[in-house]
Amino acid sequence: MKLAWPHTPASLIGLTLIAAFYGVTTFHLSRQAYQARAEDVVVIRFAHWNLEEGVREVYDEIAAAYMALHPHVHVEQLAIPHRVYPAWLRTQLIGGTAPDLIALGGQGITDELMARYFQPLTTDVEAPNPYNRGTPLEAVSWRDTFVDGLTSHHIFNERLQEVYSIGLGVPTFRGYYNLDLFREIMGHEQLPRTFRELLDLCERTAAWSRQQGRAVLPIAASVHHALPLLHALAAVRTQRLLIDQPGRGVLILGDEDLLIEMMAGRLSWRDPPMVDALAAMQAAGRWFPPGFLQTQREDMAFQFVQGRAVMMTTGSFDLRSLRSQAPFQLAVGPIPLPDTNDPEFSRGVLGPLPEIAVGSGRFALTRNSRHPSAALDFLRYLSSVNSNSRFAARSEWIPAVVGAQVPATVKAFQPNPDGFPAPLNLFAGLGPFPDVFRTMLNRHSDLLFSRTAPLEAYLEAVDRDFPPALRNDLERITRHRRANLRRLDTLIGILELDSPAWADRSTILRQSQLNQEIAQAWLEYNQ
Amino acid sequence: MEAVQQLRFNDAATLMAAEPTPSHRLAEAVLKLNHQPRTRAQVEAAQATLEYLANDAHTEPEVRPWALYYLARILHWHLDQTPREATLAAYQRLIDHHPAHPAAQLAQSRRLLLLLFAPATATEARARLKHHGKETPLLTERDARYAYHVVFAEAYQRFAPEDPELAEHTRRALAITPLAPAQRADLLLRLAESARRRGDEATARVTYLEFLRSYPRQIRRPLVQKRLAELSP
């Protein structure tokens, strides 16, 4: 077999740049390792892709403060460009050269990779964080020092039953408005507070645009900007499922639970909660520009700052750049979602969604770390209430630790901690169910977001394409789970053979293993 | 041990192979199950070693039951497409020969898992819950007792959620320590929800409150507060 190499000049330049990047990185890492040996100090390396202003600087400041406390430890920061981060990460993990701590989030880390290359932190988070001494969190378990108690789906892997990362920020999403344009179209400055008012803004913008002969979008939506809004709409309208659908009887309906319910015929896309979710997505999505799922984040942000859209939904992390680029008055408000009083979209809604999911600056400890205790200690320092306040002040992120100061500049993004959770997470991104996601969103987006086709046309397409997608994804889950169960057999077996001192650790691992075996048995029962 | 913690099973297996004792051979076989690259031949080699240890008269009494346990585990999870009956028979072989051994006690819950979640109609599923609930396996080990009660609680939740046995098994699992926080949170809510469904509001209230006290940051708190508000005053 002969490999077909790309041969255009652009691709050759790209390959050369990537090769150069890897070469420089490898040289840099090797040099650090050599220096560490030479100076006999413990070197902790952490990698991330957050190159935004303030983030790298504050990481350096915190690392310097930590090194002052621990002179025998040297902490190195590796800031890797976002575009190459996923490929870089995989190469480092598979090559066994990964840094001690790695930032995670959206790099396609499957359960299999997670279990294989990262150290669970589940038992470590139960003890208090010593770097919170002298603060109100002094006696609180490390777990409960985070606003989400480390229970949100980014942090606690429901399928592997382990906590794998510790986060520093809570990304919250808001509506960003071009207030000049908004005032011109609406005649006032009162931002939409309800979903109905948002739809009204969209309708009036479209009418105004036609009347003025000026191409202005009601909502600037790329795949990056649209998914958080679509996910929130689907989630809020399926909240009642958590209390109405018995499931596992623990007030949770994870993605896998939901899909098993659908596979067994106890729930379908034609049942009210699911149709309601789709109807809300359709109502908003109809106002998105055509082809939004193929549009890149930067392109749509450019349109917004050029004054060609009234609104854009994105996270707190975009505030700095939008504030500096927008030549108009920028306003920020909550994303208007259906509430319990909505005349058309209230069914299934329990209340606002919670905004406490820690998801930014999530660091996981690699299994090949040469100094896992020191790396974990640095992670504790990094996520202490004082460090997190310092981090938030410089980065303008919403802090993840209870009691850490929210910077005044991002008060509009302060999370609402009291909302009701929701089960329908299938529109949030590829996650562990890529085939289902593609089928439900990408493949038939033209039908779902059509301004003329009824929802029935979309449901007919789903009736046809959803079952095989569901089977594929559940088979993938089965493969990953079986691999993890096998690994746990060996890990637990050797822990127990080695010494009775490991008894408590193996007990906790056995409980996790049993849960996964039961989940698999239930999946197979329903197939 | 560091090699095992880092999942470098190949390195650990090489270390074990240097020692000829049955314990080391057992460890080597268990490590071989995850030798990379993982092949069927590796698993079959581990199987052959374990079979030898299970049958050889010179194997230490402590090693033989674990060899039988891992033989059953191979059928259960390490080989694809093993008939359920063959796996059940492997667990049963261990239980019959060494009923009091910790490995056999663990095997009890896995045997139950296979039996209770086998394909069946809803009526059959409920009937076999009652049938196997009458068995009285010897369970002195904490991990085995936990697994036994959790498997029953999960099966009752799925097939007979109105049955009081669901609460009973959940309560017994909750009494075992140490318990991973995520498991304890789920068990508390399962107990509370089961009590609420059966109209036992006192138990439901106490258990919901215990959940709120234990998990001040849990994402499910608003749902629990809603449940509490719906209970009669």
Side-chain angles (χ1 to χ4, degrees), chain A residues 78-156:
Chain A
L78 297 170
I80 312 293
H82 186 251
R83 279 180 194 269
V84 297
Y85 194 80
W88 176 85
L89 176 55
R90 271 181 180 257
T91 312
Q92 297 293 316
L93 290 173
I94 292 165
T97 52
D100 305 86
L101 297 165
I102 288 188
L104 297 180
Q107 288 88 27
I109 297 290
T110 61
D111 291 349
E112 164 68 3
L113 290 174
M114 188 62 88
R116 175 145 202 86
Y117 294 111
F118 294 94
Q119 187 72 43
L121 306 175
T122 318
T123 46
D124 301 297
V125 299
E126 290 313 308
N129 181 345
Y131 295 107
N132 282 331
R133 206 164 289 145
T135 75
L137 300 178
E138 178 168 352
V140 178
S141 71
W142 192 16
R143 170 170 58 91
D144 284 330
T145 64
F146 294 93
V147 291
D148 65 351
L150 302 181
T151 56
S152 50
H153 72 277
H154 294 302
I155 300 285
F156 179 69

Side-chain angles (χ1 to χ4, degrees), chain A residues 14-27:
Chain A
L15 281 173
T16 309
L17 285 174
I18 289 171
F21 173 77
Y22 282 119
V24 170
T25 308
T26 306
F27 170 73

Side-chain angles (χ1 to χ4, degrees), chain B residues 124-205:
Chain B
E124 289 167 346
R126 280 193 289 274
R128 69 191 176 197
L129 268 171
K130 286 290 169 203
H131 173 74
H132 293 295
K134 288 179 190 149
E135 296 169 359
T136 50
L138 178 62
L139 296 173
T140 56
E141 298 287 319
R142 68 175 179 187
D143 290 359
R145 277 188 287 124
Y146 173 84
Y148 175 83
H149 291 302
V150 166
V151 167
F152 259 114
E154 292 272 3
Y156 270 108
Q157 174 64 40
R158 265 67 180 227
F159 304 119
E162 71 294 341
D163 197 305
E165 284 295 305
L166 168 57
E168 192 50 37
H169 284 290
T170 307
R171 197 175 279 119
R172 286 175 179 228
L174 262 171
I176 291 164
T177 54
L179 200 49
Q183 322 295 349
R184 184 166 179 275
D186 280 359
L187 288 170
L188 279 173
L189 285 187
R190 181 166 292 142
L191 180 60
E193 287 282 285
S194 146
R196 184 190 61 84
R197 274 196 304 271
R198 288 182 294 107
D200 178 1
E201 293 204 348
T203 302
R205 187 186 312 279

Side-chain angles (χ1 to χ4, degrees), chain A residues 115-116 119 126 143-144 146-149 151 156 161 242-243 246-252 350 367 369 402 418-421 482 485-487 489-491 493-498 502-504 507-508 510-515 517-518 520-522 525, chain B residues 1 4-7 9 26-27 30-31 34 36 38 66 69-70 73 76-80 106 110 113 117-118 120 128 142-143 146-147 150-151 154 157-159 178-183 186 189-190 193 215-220 222-224 226-227:
Chain A
R116 175 145 202 86
Q119 187 72 43
E126 290 313 308
R143 170 170 58 91
D144 284 330
F146 294 93
V147 291
D148 65 351
T151 56
F156 179 69
Q161 292 282 306
L242 288 184
I243 52 176
R248 287 187 283 137
V250 293
L251 297 175
I252 275 184
L350 290 177
R367 282 198 191 268
S369 167
V402 177
D418 297 324
F420 290 91
R482 289 186 83 94
L485 286 170
R486 291 167 184 153
R487 211 167 11 246
D489 262 346
T490 298
L491 184 58
I494 300 302
L495 281 177
E496 290 194 340
L497 287 170
D498 181 64
W502 295 103
D504 280 2
T507 287
I508 298 294
R510 276 203 193 288
Q511 289 170 7
S512 162
Q513 187 186 38
L514 177 67
N515 267 14
E517 287 185 59
I518 292 168
Q520 189 57 33
W522 180 236
Y525 176 84
Chain B
M1 204 56 214
V4 174
Q5 289 278 45
Q6 294 185 354
L7 304 187
F9 296 139
L26 173 66
V30 172
L31 287 160
N34 278 289
Q36 297 299 322
R38 192 177 171 280
W66 284 116
Y69 177 76
Y70 283 102
R73 297 296 289 172
H76 201 166
W77 296 111
H78 296 255
L79 293 174
D80 295 326
L106 282 174
R110 271 44 183 200
L113 189 64
F117 286 82
R128 69 191 176 197
R142 68 175 179 187
D143 290 359
Y146 173 84
V150 166
V151 167
E154 292 272 3
Q157 174 64 40
R158 265 67 180 227
F159 304 119
L179 200 49
Q183 322 295 349
D186 280 359
L189 285 187
R190 181 166 292 142
E193 287 282 285
Y215 302 98
R217 307 275 161 209
Q218 244 279 353
I219 200 160
R220 287 173 281 179
L223 295 168
V224 171
K226 183 174 170 59
R227 287 289 203 223

